[in-house]
Amino acid sequence: MSQALVLGGGGPVGIAWEAGLLAGLAEGGVDLAAADFIVGTSAGSVVGALLALGRPAADIAGPILAEAARPREIPQQAAQDRPGAPNMMLLMQKMAEVAAGERDPVTVRREIGEFALSAQTADEESFLGGFGRQLASAGEGVWPGRGYACTAVDTETGEFIVWNADSKVSLSRAVASSCSVPGVFPPITIGGRRYMDGGMRSATNADLAKGHDRTVVIAVRLLAGEIGDRMMAPVTREIEALRDAGGAVELIVPNEASSAAFAGNLMNPRNRPAAAQAGLDQGRALSTTLKSFWQ
């Protein structure tokens, strides 16, 4: 029986929640890191890479939980009132158009790419530095020894890209490109081209897990109601495709306590400890019911 783990996007706060969730599940005997294939998008690319490199979920969540005693400042590159900050409503509008299927998605992604390239952000090397520290256990060009992939989008063509060991690119650059939120972080240069967040295609890109017998999809849903449903529509379609292909799928989204911990802002690092704790509690509570599915 082949198993897949899909980790969706969600900013720095999403990383915290996913890490806590996975740690809580592992405490209850559900080791999602044992999946044959792990695919991450944006925030999920960071957590997925660390898991695939053999780092226990508890070790990823632990330092984030410890941040409660020393709150972090909002980095200047993520502050909406920084000089030259772009109008992020434009990005949200275009992402909603892709989710709703109102326009050709590749065309919209090219427009988002133009937005990403024109935005004033931190320089690329400074942004990459953070990923170099997080992925220090892997040398340059080294990928996890088992199935791992992360996603990105070409800013010029709008083409969807899947990075894996066969891509022969730096793991830190691949993960950074998957996390390059347009307007917030700089597009990442790989092979002479510039790449942005894989979440510009889908929050999870769960259809990449097609062909596996059992898949757990973890999606960070921030907005409730009709707007949230529209943004989750691609994820719903991807899960239906997995099931149509004969796979069994479990979807995990934030419960009420986890959603409250996000405080409406997935980019504010001060929300990370609470999100990690809420994820830990949610994972512990889910472990009993998820164990029979995963094992």
Side-chain angles (χ1 to χ4, degrees):
M1 180 185 71
S2 61
Q3 299 167 305
L5 172 63
V6 177
L7 296 163
V13 177
I15 291 175
W17 177 71
E18 290 181 352
L21 179 78
L22 290 163
L25 287 167
E27 279 187 19
V30 183
D31 183 15
L32 295 185
D36 303 288
F37 177 57
I38 298 174
V39 58
T41 291
S42 200
S45 72
V46 177
V47 178
L50 293 172
L51 289 178
L53 287 167
R55 188 143 170 215
D59 289 356
I60 305 172
I64 302 174
L65 291 165
E67 290 173 10
R70 41 182 176 80
R72 296 170 58 177
E73 296 296 326
I74 299 176
Q76 179 66 12
Q77 60 189 359
Q80 288 304 294
D81 59 352
R82 72 186 188 278
N87 178 10
M88 297 301 288
M89 288 304 297
L90 176 64
L91 174 63
M92 298 303 295
Q93 175 188 337
K94 292 189 178 298
M95 289 177 67
E97 289 174 354
V98 172
E102 296 174 356
R103 297 174 57 206
D104 173 56
V106 177
T107 299
V108 177
R109 291 199 294 267
R110 284 200 296 266
E111 294 172 359
I112 295 175
E114 293 175 3
F115 171 80
L117 291 169
S118 65
Q120 296 182 35
T121 66
D123 67 275
E124 191 173 336
E125 291 306 315
S126 295
F127 182 52
L128 278 165
F131 293 91
R133 289 191 300 273
Q134 291 191 72
L135 303 174
S137 57
E140 185 69 19
V142 174
W143 276 67
R146 55 198 174 88
Y148 167 75
C150 62
T151 65
V153 170
D154 188 308
T155 55
E156 182 181 356
T157 66
E159 179 187 3
F160 177 61
I161 302 294
V162 179
W163 304 119
N164 56 33
D166 294 335
S167 303
K168 306 299 182 185
V169 303
S170 160
L171 177 62
S172 59
R173 280 190 176 269
V175 172
S177 72
S178 189
C179 293
S180 177
V181 180
V184 179
F185 303 121
I188 300 301
T189 304
I190 299 176
R193 304 195 66 81
R194 305 288 300 282
Y195 295 93
M196 62 183 177
D197 199 315
M200 298 306 101
R201 180 203 184 231
S202 159
T204 61
N205 296 298
D207 51 325
L208 296 178
K210 188 177 293 185
H212 291 275
D213 298 307
R214 295 186 183 179
T215 300
V216 171
V217 178
I218 298 177
V220 181
R221 175 172 175 155
L222 179 63
L223 301 173
E226 184 179 349
I227 295 177
D229 289 343
R230 285 205 302 268
M231 295 302 290
M232 284 288 291
V235 179
T236 301
R237 292 193 292 267
E238 290 159 9
I239 289 174
E240 289 174 352
L242 295 180
R243 289 173 174 156
D244 288 345
V249 184
E250 285 288 337
L251 171 65
I252 301 176
V253 296
N255 61 12
E256 187 174 344
S258 293
S259 296
F262 298 163
N265 188 347
L266 295 172
M267 300 303 294
N268 186 343
R270 291 192 174 188
N271 297 337
R272 281 163 50 91
Q277 184 62 58
L280 184 65
D281 294 340
Q282 184 176 352
R284 288 166 172 163
L286 281 173
S287 61
T288 300
T289 55
L290 195 63
K291 186 180 296 185
S292 59
F293 172 82
W294 192 244
Q295 297 180 346

